[in-house]
């Protein structure tokens, strides 16, 4: 039986931001994957990065370091 658990979700204002973030995260070997934005989060482009909650700060730091923008971030209960 699948259960929901908390994940860090970083949502983007534009598809350009989402694609830049995905490329950077992948290049750096950072965890997570791009998903359609969960209904619990409201953001512009409809894409979000999903990762373990323990990785949220590392991901946010990488975005800030590279100057890639994002709209919001949250912890959201999702299925694996």
């Amino acid at each position: 039986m699948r259960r929901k658990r908390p994940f860090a979700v970083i949502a983007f204002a534009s598809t350009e931001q989402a694609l830049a973030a995905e490329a950077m995260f992948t290049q750096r070997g950072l965890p997570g994957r791009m998903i359609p934005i969960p209904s619990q989060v409201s953001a512009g482009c409809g894409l979000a990065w999903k990762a373990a909650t323990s990785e949220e700060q590392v991901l946010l730091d990488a975005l800030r370091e590279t100057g890639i923008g994002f709209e919001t971030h949250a912890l959201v209960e999702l299925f694996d």
Side-chain angles (χ1 to χ4, degrees), residues 14-77:
S14 70
T15 303
E16 180 182 9
Q17 287 178 340
L19 295 177
E22 181 178 39
M24 183 270 295
F25 290 151
T26 301
Q27 181 182 33
R28 291 182 176 209
L30 295 173
R33 64 185 177 95
M34 197 62 70
I35 62 168
I37 193 132
S39 60
Q40 301 95 315
V41 179
S42 177
C45 82
L47 294 172
W49 190 259
K50 172 187 168 187
T53 57
S54 61
E55 302 296 338
E56 181 180 33
Q57 194 58 56
V58 171
L59 297 168
L60 293 173
D61 289 346
L63 288 168
R64 290 182 180 116
E65 178 185 313
T66 58
I68 298 171
F70 62 94
E71 188 164 341
T72 190
H73 61 96
L75 297 181
V76 179
E77 294 277 327

